[in-house]
Amino acid sequence: MYNLLIVDDEPRHRDGLANLISKLKPNYQVFKAKNGNDALIIMADHKIDIVFSDIRMPQMDGLQLLERLESYDKPPILVILSGYRQFEYAQKAISLGVCEYLLKPIDIATMDNTLDKIEKAMLANQTQLQENEYTITKLNKTLPIYNDHLMNQWVLGHLEGNSLLEVQKLLPLINKGTVLLTEINSLKSTYRTDEFQTRQLVKENVERALGASSQSISFFLEDRRSILVTVVSTSACDIRSTETLDKMGLCIREMKEFDLDITMALGTECEDVIRQVNKSFADAKRALSYQFFLGSAIIIALDDIIPAASEKLLTKYREEEELLDAVRESDKSKAIRLIHTIFDKQISHGLPLPDSFKEFILRIMLHVVHHFKDVMLEDYYKELLRKTEDTMKNSTFFLTMRDTVSEMLNDMIDNILNTRNWKKEMIIKTCLQFIEENYAEDLFLESMASKFYFNTSYFSHYFKVNTGISFSQYLLRTRLRKGKEFLEESDFKIYEISKLIGFKDTKYFNRVFKKEFGVTPEEYRRIALNMSSAKK
């Protein structure tokens, strides 16, 4: 388990001690040396954990050996052996870090206790070393996270006093400065699937583009890990110079070779970046948001953006009402043309705030969806509401959002058409079932139309298209069919049957029955009875 070295110039003492230790600790490997020089040679070839050394030896004595071992990174546990009780020897040995000072001769009990004590000390040292290494490793992992958190709080303007001084210690010598934001529009590529590696690749390339002398510091936002924040000293690096912008543009193109799409945005310059960084950060973040309109893989500065007059929203256009008509008419091409017009008008006189624009389009789409709620199935309607809100809030780019909205309108029109057809089939079935169950009641076209939420003329047309005859004809035929059943299967008198099937005038019942079947109700009953008797 441990390697132990005995250093003694007397062979009898050296061999006797080796035998004693081997009996007590058979798993130890015991080495022997006759003086300090020999001991150093052995220790050069073997890792020695414990050294038992005599004091008085030729060439190099025990105390000289101990002094040499002090220079070792991990010196062994030291035990001094002596036949003398000299105080000065013991004092010197203790100053050199000796674990034990043993007087010869050494008995078994003393050696056993000494070795047990040494093992406990070594185990405690090993445990302490492991704990220290764990603590250092944990600190090494935690410190960058803490520093990043500190930097995030700094650019958001949440630090003051001593916390700002703490930030200042982490920064290069920056006085005047600006914030550069780099957004990775997709953290995954065909080359790299590890997001941490992707972020490090982008960070290294951005820092390389700025140059080693730029005096910059970079970190990622905690709430949006796809955005790299770089605070740059404008005293050391003219970030708006043609040369630097060209290098940044080259960085964007190089990232495309890794199938990574990045966009950069510049904040305003601060005279005192330590205390004013949040203003530059806010401006850079605002500039970055305009990639929604301008597209990705570019460098954006607020100075380059022509804002809408109010930067707020946004005017209601007649196209909104026309859009409702187009959906109502199931005219897909017209609906898409109108939504494109609405989109394009919003950016024709400057760019609105991206979030305001999204809210505006969301309002329009929710208005359309709510308007046609009654002609959609409930599950589809709820899902469409959720999808509409998610699409508007999470859309990354103007053109993508416009295409998505167009697809949604297409799908909605198809669904409305299908639902209308299905509802029409269900309505006519329900209507015919109602007549079948209530034919004896006073049924009128107007009341039936109202029951199924149609105006009278449309319901009359709709009923005839779906059944081939008018409502009044269908009701009459249903009543007459029921009358035949009563005549065949009951003993009711003709005037009783007439009332049972909804005729108030028996003569009128006789007349329309004969017109429909060529015989009177009485004659029909007689014929039906004769046919029934003949079958028997």
Side-chain angles (χ1 to χ4, degrees):
M1 183 169 68
Y2 293 116
N3 291 339
L4 185 146
L5 173 62
I6 300 170
V7 189
D8 197 318
D9 62 328
E10 294 184 24
R12 184 171 56 85
H13 289 163
R14 189 170 62 240
D15 293 339
L17 197 58
N19 290 333
L20 177 60
I21 291 172
S22 295
K23 287 180 181 178
L24 291 171
K25 302 291 181 181
N27 55 341
Y28 279 25
Q29 185 170 0
V30 180
F31 297 85
K32 294 179 285 186
K34 62 179 179 293
N35 56 50
N37 285 335
D38 285 353
L40 291 175
I41 292 171
I42 291 172
M43 293 180 72
D45 295 331
H46 302 278
K47 180 184 177 298
I48 301 300
D49 302 301
I50 307 167
V51 173
F52 278 69
S53 177
D54 192 12
I55 288 184
R56 288 188 170 185
M57 294 178 293
Q59 297 186 29
M60 182 187 293
D61 66 21
L63 295 179
Q64 290 173 322
L65 173 62
L66 298 183
E67 288 175 345
R68 293 285 296 273
L69 294 181
E70 270 193 313
S71 63
Y72 281 40
D73 290 336
K74 293 182 179 180
I77 296 289
L78 305 173
V79 178
I80 285 295
L81 308 172
S82 177
Y84 307 94
R85 294 181 178 271
Q86 289 95 335
F87 175 73
E88 61 270 21
Y89 283 157
Q91 189 180 40
K92 180 67 174 176
I94 290 170
S95 70
L96 293 172
V98 167
C99 173
E100 289 288 331
Y101 189 98
L102 302 179
L103 291 175
K104 298 177 182 178
I106 304 169
D107 57 38
I108 294 177
T110 300
M111 179 57 72
D112 194 26
N113 289 336
T114 299
L115 292 175
D116 286 345
K117 182 179 178 180
I118 289 171
E119 285 188 3
K120 289 177 181 177
M122 293 179 71
L123 182 61
N125 286 340
Q126 186 178 3
T127 303
Q128 186 62 49
L129 283 172
Q130 289 174 344
E131 288 178 355
N132 290 345
E133 288 175 2
Y134 173 76
T135 302
I136 291 169
T137 302
K138 193 172 181 181
L139 281 172
N140 287 337
K141 289 181 178 178
T142 306
L143 192 58
I145 296 172
Y146 171 74
N147 288 342
D148 273 9
H149 174 70
L150 196 66
M151 291 295 177
N152 270 266
Q153 294 299 299
W154 174 50
V155 297
L156 292 171
H158 296 165
L159 299 184
E160 57 185 19
N162 290 335
S163 297
L164 276 179
L165 293 175
E166 195 174 350
V167 167
Q168 202 161 4
K169 292 175 184 177
L170 297 173
L171 293 174
L173 296 173
I174 298 179
N175 187 13
K176 292 172 62 175
T178 191
V179 172
L180 168 68
L181 296 183
T182 305
E183 180 162 16
I184 311 169
N185 291 310
S186 173
L187 278 173
K188 293 188 177 178
S189 72
T190 54
Y191 297 93
R192 294 172 182 267
T193 55
D194 185 275
E195 293 185 2
F196 176 78
Q197 288 184 352
T198 299
R199 286 195 292 268
Q200 290 306 112
L201 173 70
V202 171
K203 181 179 178 181
E204 290 167 7
N205 278 268
V206 170
E207 290 174 345
R208 189 181 301 119
L210 293 173
S213 61
S214 63
Q215 294 184 3
S216 63
I217 186 167
S218 297
F219 53 93
F220 283 90
L221 288 182
E222 289 177 317
D223 60 342
R224 289 182 65 183
R225 302 296 290 169
S226 61
I227 295 181
L228 175 71
V229 182
T230 306
V231 183
V232 186
S233 169
T234 50
S235 300
C237 172
D238 185 1
I239 197 168
R240 286 174 171 78
S241 69
T242 302
E243 181 183 359
T244 306
L245 290 173
D246 285 346
K247 288 179 181 178
M248 290 161 61
L250 177 62
C251 176
I252 290 172
R253 293 191 294 276
E254 287 175 343
M255 289 299 95
K256 278 190 171 292
E257 294 177 7
F258 288 94
D259 197 22
L260 289 171
D261 196 48
I262 66 173
T263 301
M264 295 180 173
L266 285 166
T268 49
E269 186 179 55
C270 303
E271 290 297 321
D272 182 358
V273 75
I274 294 292
R275 289 170 176 76
Q276 299 172 338
V277 70
N278 59 311
K279 172 68 167 60
S280 184
F281 172 74
D283 288 342
K285 196 172 181 182
R286 184 176 168 195
L288 186 62
S289 72
Y290 279 95
Q291 71 172 317
F292 176 81
F293 297 109
L294 303 175
S296 61
I298 56 175
I299 303 168
I300 309 171
L302 280 179
D303 297 342
D304 303 328
I305 297 167
I306 302 173
S310 66
E311 288 196 345
K312 294 184 180 178
L313 274 203
L314 292 171
T315 310
K316 184 175 180 179
Y317 300 120
R318 60 179 176 78
E319 282 85 2
E320 289 186 49
E321 292 305 317
E322 292 179 6
L323 181 61
L324 292 176
D325 292 336
V327 175
R328 189 179 296 109
E329 296 161 5
S330 303
D331 190 333
K332 292 182 181 180
S333 60
K334 181 181 178 182
I336 292 171
R337 176 177 56 78
L338 288 166
I339 200 66
H340 279 217
T341 300
I342 291 171
F343 266 71
D344 294 340
K345 276 189 174 183
Q346 295 302 316
I347 60 172
S348 59
H349 301 293
L351 299 179
L353 294 172
D355 286 344
S356 298
F357 175 83
K358 291 179 184 181
E359 289 173 7
F360 175 71
I361 298 299
L362 174 61
R363 180 186 62 75
I364 291 175
M365 289 301 294
L366 289 178
H367 178 59
V368 172
V369 173
H370 284 308
H371 190 83
F372 292 97
K373 176 183 179 180
D374 291 338
V375 289
M376 289 186 254
L377 296 177
E378 186 176 358
D379 288 346
Y380 177 81
Y381 167 73
K382 290 180 179 178
E383 176 62 20
L384 186 57
L385 283 179
R386 185 197 62 76
K387 185 178 178 182
T388 300
E389 292 188 8
D390 287 349
T391 298
M392 301 306 109
K393 290 176 182 176
N394 299 324
S395 290
T396 309
F397 297 107
F398 175 87
L399 293 178
T400 305
M401 182 178 176
R402 192 177 68 180
D403 291 343
T404 303
V405 170
S406 299
E407 291 172 7
M408 289 174 63
L409 284 170
N410 246 330
D411 182 68
M412 187 169 74
I413 289 171
D414 284 340
N415 185 270
I416 289 172
L417 277 172
N418 293 335
T419 305
R420 276 175 175 166
N421 292 334
W422 179 83
K423 282 192 172 183
K424 284 179 179 180
E425 292 177 8
M426 294 302 296
I427 286 171
I428 200 67
K429 287 180 180 178
T430 305
C431 180
L432 297 181
Q433 182 65 31
F434 185 83
I435 293 173
E436 188 73 16
E437 294 171 357
N438 299 277
Y439 58 87
E441 306 296 327
D442 289 336
L443 300 182
F444 301 100
L445 179 65
E446 292 79 8
S447 60
M448 288 294 289
S450 176
K451 179 177 179 60
F452 293 100
Y453 304 101
F454 288 100
N455 64 52
T456 304
S457 59
Y458 180 81
F459 180 73
S460 177
H461 171 75
Y462 171 69
F463 190 95
K464 189 169 185 177
V465 166
N466 282 274
T467 62
I469 56 177
S470 68
F471 171 78
S472 58
Q473 288 175 313
Y474 187 90
L475 177 61
L476 177 63
R477 289 185 180 181
T478 301
R479 286 172 169 172
L480 291 176
R481 174 169 52 80
K482 292 294 182 180
K484 284 172 60 179
E485 292 173 6
F486 278 118
L487 289 169
E488 294 171 3
E489 299 170 6
S490 74
D491 295 330
F492 292 134
K493 298 186 181 300
I494 302 299
Y495 76 88
E496 292 175 328
I497 292 174
S498 174
K499 289 183 179 180
L500 285 172
I501 60 175
F503 287 97
K504 296 180 179 178
D505 186 345
T506 305
K507 291 181 180 179
Y508 178 66
F509 168 58
N510 287 330
R511 188 166 62 251
V512 295
F513 191 96
K514 185 173 183 179
K515 183 179 180 181
E516 182 70 19
F517 301 113
V519 292
T520 65
E522 192 67 46
E523 290 170 339
Y524 181 83
R525 170 175 273 175
R526 208 167 33 246
I527 294 169
L529 287 172
N530 290 336
M531 290 179 65
S532 177
S533 299
K535 286 180 181 179
K536 293 178 182 179

